[in-house]
Amino acid sequence: MNRLATAFRDLRRNGAFLLMVLPGAAWFILFCYLPMPGAIFAFKEFRVDLGGGFFGAIFRSEWVGFKNFEFLFKAHDAYIITRNTVLYNLVFIVLGLVCSVAMALLLFQLTQKRLAKLYQTAMFMPYFLSWVIVSYFTFSFLSVDKGVVNQLLGTLGVQPIDWYSDPKYWPYILVFMNLWKGVGYSSVIYLAAIAGIDKTYYEAAMIDGASKWQQTLRITLPLIRPMMIILTILAVGGIFRADFGLFFQIPRDSGALFPVTNVIDTYVYRSLKVLGDFGMSTAAGLYQSVVGLILVLTTNKIVKKINEEQALF
Amino acid sequence: MSMIPKTAGAAAVPAGTSRRSRDFHRLSPFWNTIFHLVSGGFALACVFPFLFVVIISLTREQSLLEVGYRIIPDALSLSAYRYIFQTGDQLLQSYLVTITITVLGTLLTVVMTTLYAYALSRKSFKYRGFFSFLAFFTMLFSGGLVPTYIVVTQFLHLKDTLWALILPMAMNAFNILVLRTFFQTMVPDPIIESGKIDGAGEFRALFSLVLPISLPGLATIALFSTLGYWNDWFNALLYIDSNQLVPLQALLMRIQNSMQFIIQNSSLLSSGQSKEMIRSLPQETSRMAMVVLATGPIVLAYPFFQRYFIQGLTIGAVKD
């Protein structure tokens, strides 16, 4: 009785707070937690015609065990999409880190601060554009008959290349586009960190006669290293999630390019909307979520070892 | 001359001593030029494609057919824009859809995120741990695309409604993290507690004490959200079939897909058929003009707001 009274008192005391979190909590439950049991479709033959809507489908659809996974892994698809997702992300992480830190260091050194600001603003622009827009940009360069690249090749006497049907160029194109869109904004973040470094370090170094290069190696880089490590490890945690827009919009959904452009996310989408194979699509999604969770937990553990405060949880 | 005392090393090279000591904090002209070339070159590469699309949209259609995309066009024309404003019912409709979902969505996001983040930022909230978990666990695990799709279409019945473009993006844990951290650092607990002694409830404290000094934080969330809604095509791809509800980005995506379809299947379609399909689509220059019109507002506005994005990204990147 007493305990019940305390519980009620607590609820009343926190009434205002509970009212505040109510809309948000309802959203999380509807859009994040309600779908979670739906992952069960990975082990079922999904049917919507059984009545009862979402829950009806969950309870009444027939169990098929691991058939959906078997299908996914036997068809060789699982290998290709996993390879593409992981390898592209690894390259993005490594090159992205190197390029954006280098660019931040460069911008920091420029003597004309106004120009540096202008460059920074310009580099930030791709971050604000959607992949749909960017794919129009790439098309203006890579179009077979009108594109700039083929025109240039033409003036050099090289035969025009059918970019959108030849897979061999696409690993480079995708890496290039990822860097083009991302380096500006991450270098701006690193630059903000560098600008926050206490100026007295540099003054002391100058008095001691350290060159710019030495200052960079001995002051700037060591001081932004924690940030580099944390951001990289977090990115590694997300290595199983691909940037859907990049892999879906930039190659213009061209089937000839699938061997090098299909990643887990595009595969899940196409199985759902194009093939209508709910079971296999859910299975691929669940595979991604579970491996992703394991990766995040592992990387978080590593972060915790390096720096307790920076760990996510 | 230089304020830096001459060191033994510098004194050993009498000629140009002052220039060398200046080198410690200034880049030499040679390296300065190199650095400008690299960073300026990349900066140009980042804005050039947009400028190029603007140029294409201003080119005469006929010259495009003859010589392809040119950086310096041989004939300029405004006809693409004229065409769009005369016949662009779909474009105007899509503009309307995009503006509606951007405004409504951003309002919803800011209100819900602010309330949630404020409660999480207050130590006196007893169930803080539970609601933190509820929000942040979604960063780690999700049911996946298909279950979400089924919930939205079969349970919430949002397919082909405006809400399908607004609600799925209304909240995210990252925004809550940013705003909670912002509240915690900007508004120390003692201020709120003193306000509460004066008789203010939590809502009063939020609206009259916390919000007025947290506007930069709210601006960050609002701008992230505006950008997200303006640029969204994914929800339309999943949930929208009706032409009445297609937002701008999704419209551009649809046009592009039909083009690609015609190109890929040109051998299957009879020439008359494919000609008919191409005629039903906007011409090349008009398509580029639509890209310009869809991107223009962002490109014009972001330089004034970029510091809020940097702020949000740095808060998000370093946690508390």
Side-chain angles (χ1 to χ4, degrees), chain A residues 33 121 130 135-136 151 206, chain B residues 69 134 249 252 256 302 306:
Chain A
Y33 289 94
T121 304
S130 79
S135 92
Y136 274 86
Q151 284 181 42
M206 278 190 267
Chain B
Y69 303 140
L134 189 74
Q249 306 283 337
L252 288 169
Q256 175 186 289
Y302 90 87
Q306 58 174 332

Side-chain angles (χ1 to χ4, degrees), chain B residues 102-123:
Chain B
T102 304
V103 172
L104 279 180
T106 303
L107 277 176
L108 201 64
T109 303
V110 170
V111 171
M112 280 167 58
T113 309
T114 305
L115 290 174
Y116 205 97
Y118 173 74
L120 292 194
S121 77
R122 299 280 286 117
K123 294 213 165 54

